[in-house]
Structure formats: C-alpha cells, structure tokens
Amino acid sequence: MSFKIKSSAVVETLDIRRAQHRVNLIGEHIDYCGYSVLPMAIEQSIHAAFRHIPESSLLSLRNTASEYGNFELDLTKIVIDKTTFHWSNYFLSGVLGVINMAKERNLNINSGVEVCILGDIPPSAGLSSSSALVCAGAMIMNHIYEVGLVKTELAGLCATSEKFVGTEGGGMDQAIAMMAERGYAKLIEFNPLRTTDVLLPDCAVFMVLNSMIIANKAAFESFNVRVVEGRIGTLVLSQKYGKGSIRKPSDLQKGLGKSLDEMRRLTKEDLHEEPYSKKEVCSILGITEEELEESVLTSNTKHIQSFKCKQRLLHVFSEAARVEEFKKTCDNPQQASLATLGKLMNESHASCRDLYECSHPELDKLVNLVAPMAYGVRLTGAGWGGCAVAMIPAEKVEEVQEYVWKNYYQKLEKNFARSQVMFVTSPGPGATLFSLELA
C-alpha cells in the first residue's frame, strides 16, 4: 500500500489505524431500537496512516482515491454541516467526539495530525465504510491526545459522535468495528454495550454481493424517517398502556413485561394500518406540532406529514426475535441448522423489503437471483441499495459467482472487476494500531 505523508525527517514512525468494515448477518434497523444484532467484521477495511504534529492545530486529511479530494481544517474550529454531505464529515465526527472528551478531562489538545486514508471497499455499499471512518478518526485522536479510552468506550463514543453527521443510528457498526475477533461473529447487546462470540457453521460460506446502487444513509432522509416512525409508534403504545413517554421499543417491552411475540400482537391490535398523520400523532400524545418537531422528529424529518408506525414496529419486534433464534441455532448446531439460519435470513429480507421498506428493486433482483442457490440471502446494512449477504454451500461459490456475473453484473454495462462486486468473506478482527519505520 502507498501512503503519501509529508515529512522532513529521514526516518520516522508512521502509525496505522485499521478500522474494519462489517456485514450484518441479521438484525437490521433494530440497534437504535435497543435490540441485539448479529454482525461480523470482514477482512476488508479502512487504513488510516497518520503522523503526529506537535504544537499545531492543523488536521490535514488526504484520501488515496483522488476523486475524494483532500481536506484541511483547524482542529480548534471543527464545524460539521449536516446539510452538506462530504466523506470527511464521518472522520471529523470521530475526531470531534474525542476532542470533546479530552476537553472534559482537561487534557492538552494542542497537537495537529496528518492523515492519509486508504480503503478497499466501495463507499455507500452498506458495509459500514462510513462508521469505519468515524472509528478511525476517534482512534487516532484517542492515541495522539492520550485520552485512554478502551475499545468498549470508543465504540460508545463513536456511536454518539456519528450523530454529528445527522444520522440517528444505533451502535452496531461502531461496536463490531472496534470489538470484533477473528473467526467469530458477534452478538452485540446494548445498555450496557456487551458482545458475545458466535461461532458460525463451517460447512457454509458467506458471500457479499454489491448491487452497485449507492446507498448513503446520511445523504437522504429515509433512514431517519424510519427511526422516527418507530419512535412515534412506541410513544403511541406507551400512551395507550399508561407508560408515559417511552421512545425506544425495547424499553417499552421491558416496561410492559411482554415477550417479543406479545409485542407483535399488541402492535397488530393497537396500531392502525394506514399512516398516522402529524395531526393525529399530536392529538394522541397531547402535544403541539412544534413540540413534536422539537422533541421527537429530527432536523431532516420535520417536514414529514405521515408515519407508518405499525409496519415499522412489526419489523422491529419480528427482527429482534430472529436475532435470538439465529444465535440459539448457532449455539446448538443440528443437522437442520443451516436451513434454519437460511430461513431466518430470507424472512429478514422480506421484512426489510415489505415492512421497513428499506430495500431497492435492483437489490431485490440480486437477492432473487442468488436465492435458489443459497441457504439464505438478505440485504445487509441500512439498505436502499448497497450489498446483499448470502449463505451458500462452500462447493457452490464458483457456480454462484458465474451465474450472478452473467445474469446481473454484465447487464449493468459498467467497467469493474469481479472481485470488486462479489467476494467470499469470513469473520475478521477488530480495529488495530501498528507502526512502520519509514526511510
């Protein structure tokens, strides 16, 4: 790999942060609802080479891909514009999170840094390249300013910091990027953050397939619309059952003492099929539109006039149950376990497509092509494009790749290598730091 870092020294130590991409095997759009998810880190990653510049406040950020351009700013004057998308915003959000923590701890932050980014996954592919950038930024500044945050703390900080970009996500991407271990997927639980190793079946492989539909969750409003629809549905149920103003589905479940099956039943019975209007929501919650916009909606969803609450919560509760069953099946392998896992993946995709409406016609086309040759296949990541992940028999890898290449990718009439859009992956390690001596 080639990094261009300015230096007047003959020999210096160059620190490299590697922040992992991830594939979410199951548990889509439920981490920000408080429910467990089950992703794995993959070998592909973002490398961030950096050099500490003492007695400076300059951040110089470069990308080896020339189309992304370079970026410089004063670290004492970081402003992230949520209304304008730029790849550097993700890196800056991690930087800003650590700077704020350093200030809270009264640490010296009078240092600059030169950074060069190299990634081996296409951006906006649903493999968490954005969160990997957040983690890389936070890890570098944690190291330079000697803040002393451990990986669990960094994962939580990065999840919070990514909101600077304007996305109301959960903590899955940051947790797996930081805390992954080679050879294992992870069950990630929240409040408090904790992870459990999950050993996947060794008689199948996971293949990632890129739909080539760009899906950047911060660049459009659909992601945050789903967040607030689930939030509003939870508030409506909370009011009905005298639980006050609970906003998170998992908290409401705990407050009611119900199982996930019972929460699905309540959702079917107590929320209506047609979208809730803004006026109706305000009437149920006993608040004004202004209060709704300030306390419930996000800056980029204030103009939304109707909300599909029933469909979103049905996905959340059913997906949370699928995560539990997926983990249980992996822990107790039986002859039918591959069929069970595949069935759960297929059900997850159908729910994302039909209830959460976060798929894309081209992504569905790709999933449908692979499905007859796979145990299971589903979108992975936020959706609206990006990638699918398929669990397939190890002996069918070449057959699947050849079939999909001929029937999907060649019809796109775009110039790319097969390895860029389809690859088999296995659980990789989490973020790491290492040093190089440069002559």
Side-chain angles (χ1 to χ4, degrees):
M1 71 187 71
S2 175
F3 296 101
K4 295 180 180 179
I5 301 288
K6 297 183 220 174
S7 174
S8 58
V10 177
V11 177
E12 65 177 350
T13 299
L14 181 66
D15 294 321
I16 311 282
R17 280 293 187 191
R18 188 175 79 167
Q20 298 305 116
H21 296 288
R22 65 95 188 95
V23 166
N24 190 20
L25 299 178
I26 199 158
E28 216 62 75
H29 286 283
I30 62 173
D31 54 341
Y32 52 78
C33 297
Y35 286 110
S36 304
V37 292
L38 209 155
M40 68 180 188
I42 59 179
E43 294 294 338
Q44 290 75 7
S45 58
I46 281 177
H47 293 265
F50 67 96
R51 185 169 69 90
H52 184 198
I53 309 173
E55 304 304 321
S56 170
S57 62
L58 181 68
L59 167 64
S60 177
L61 184 60
R62 294 172 174 79
N63 197 309
T64 57
S66 59
E67 64 267 28
Y68 295 113
N70 300 328
F71 188 80
E72 290 188 348
L73 59 64
D74 189 326
L75 286 167
T76 65
K77 301 176 182 178
I78 294 180
V79 176
I80 299 175
D81 184 0
K82 294 181 181 181
T83 65
T84 303
F85 172 73
H86 192 272
W87 72 272
S88 62
N89 285 354
Y90 289 107
F91 188 88
L92 289 177
S93 67
V95 170
L96 184 57
V98 172
I99 286 177
N100 290 341
M101 179 63 70
K103 288 179 178 177
E104 289 179 13
R105 297 185 177 187
N106 297 315
L107 299 175
N108 177 23
I109 57 173
N110 185 27
S111 297
V113 61
E114 286 183 299
V115 184
C116 186
I117 301 292
L118 169 66
D120 53 9
I121 281 289
S124 303
L127 300 178
S128 195
S129 58
S130 55
S131 294
L133 278 170
V134 178
C135 292
M139 293 169 68
I140 288 171
M141 304 316 288
N142 182 57
H143 176 75
I144 287 176
Y145 293 152
E146 299 181 348
V147 182
L149 298 172
V150 298
K151 283 190 173 183
T152 304
E153 294 171 317
L154 277 169
L157 179 141
C158 288
T160 301
S161 297
E162 193 162 329
K163 292 180 170 60
F164 292 140
V165 179
T167 303
E168 293 290 318
M172 172 183 68
D173 297 346
Q174 301 83 4
I176 193 65
M178 290 290 182
M179 303 166 70
E181 294 182 49
R182 187 181 297 278
Y184 295 93
K186 288 280 190 179
L187 179 74
I188 300 176
E189 302 171 88
F190 304 96
N191 303 314
L193 176 64
R194 55 205 184 276
T195 66
T196 304
D197 291 345
V198 178
L199 187 62
L200 299 171
D202 59 6
C203 45
V205 298
F206 290 94
M207 182 183 293
V208 177
L209 306 104
N210 193 342
S211 71
M212 303 306 290
I213 301 298
I214 293 175
N216 187 284
K217 61 188 178 184
F220 57 98
E221 66 191 26
S222 297
F223 185 96
N224 281 356
V225 171
R226 298 302 183 275
V227 175
V228 300
E229 285 175 324
R231 185 180 296 166
I232 290 170
T234 304
L235 285 165
V236 170
L237 289 176
S238 181
Q239 286 283 322
K240 179 176 178 61
Y241 287 95
K243 292 297 180 179
S245 299
I246 298 177
R247 298 157 59 95
K248 191 173 288 188
S250 60
D251 291 340
L252 180 60
Q253 181 193 353
K254 292 174 186 175
L256 293 175
K258 302 290 186 181
S259 68
L260 287 167
D261 282 340
E262 289 171 322
M263 292 305 295
R264 285 201 298 267
R265 179 179 58 79
L266 292 181
T267 300
K268 289 179 180 178
E269 293 175 354
D270 297 325
L271 297 181
H272 54 64
E273 196 79 20
E274 62 274 12
Y276 284 75
S277 69
K278 212 173 202 179
K279 183 177 180 181
E280 183 181 11
V281 171
C282 291
S283 176
I284 293 172
L285 301 183
I287 59 178
T288 66
E289 282 198 20
E290 290 75 17
E291 289 171 328
L292 179 71
E293 291 175 358
E294 291 302 316
S295 64
V296 179
L297 304 184
T298 62
S299 60
N300 66 342
T301 61
K302 291 182 179 181
H303 66 287
I304 302 297
Q305 297 299 313
S306 62
F307 309 91
K308 292 186 176 181
C309 300
K310 181 176 184 176
Q311 295 88 337
R312 309 318 183 211
L313 284 185
L314 283 175
H315 166 77
V316 168
F317 295 130
S318 62
E319 187 77 347
R322 282 188 284 271
V323 171
E324 290 183 356
E325 189 174 352
F326 197 99
K327 168 67 163 56
K328 182 180 178 181
T329 303
C330 288
D331 288 345
N332 300 283
Q334 300 171 357
Q335 187 173 1
S337 63
L338 287 173
T340 301
L341 296 178
K343 177 175 178 288
L344 293 169
M345 293 176 70
N346 293 335
E347 290 174 351
S348 174
H349 182 78
S351 184
C352 287
R353 181 192 64 217
D354 300 333
L355 292 175
Y356 224 70
E357 296 180 280
C358 63
S359 190
H360 185 281
E362 290 300 306
L363 186 53
D364 292 336
K365 183 189 298 183
L366 184 58
V367 166
N368 292 336
L369 275 174
V370 177
M373 297 177 284
Y375 293 112
V377 56
R378 60 179 296 276
L379 68 83
T380 184
W384 294 284
C387 288
V389 58
M391 184 173 67
I392 62 175
E395 67 274 11
K396 284 193 173 184
V397 170
E398 290 186 9
E399 177 186 347
V400 172
Q401 289 182 330
E402 187 63 34
Y403 181 79
V404 177
W405 180 257
K406 178 180 178 181
N407 290 281
Y408 186 82
Y409 293 112
Q410 285 189 337
K411 293 181 179 181
L412 297 180
E413 297 182 349
K414 294 182 180 179
N415 186 25
F416 43 69
R418 188 179 300 200
S419 60
Q420 288 181 302
V421 294
M422 290 185 290
F423 56 87
V424 172
T425 190
S426 57
T432 55
L433 169 68
F434 56 95
S435 297
L436 297 175
E437 291 291 325
L438 299 182

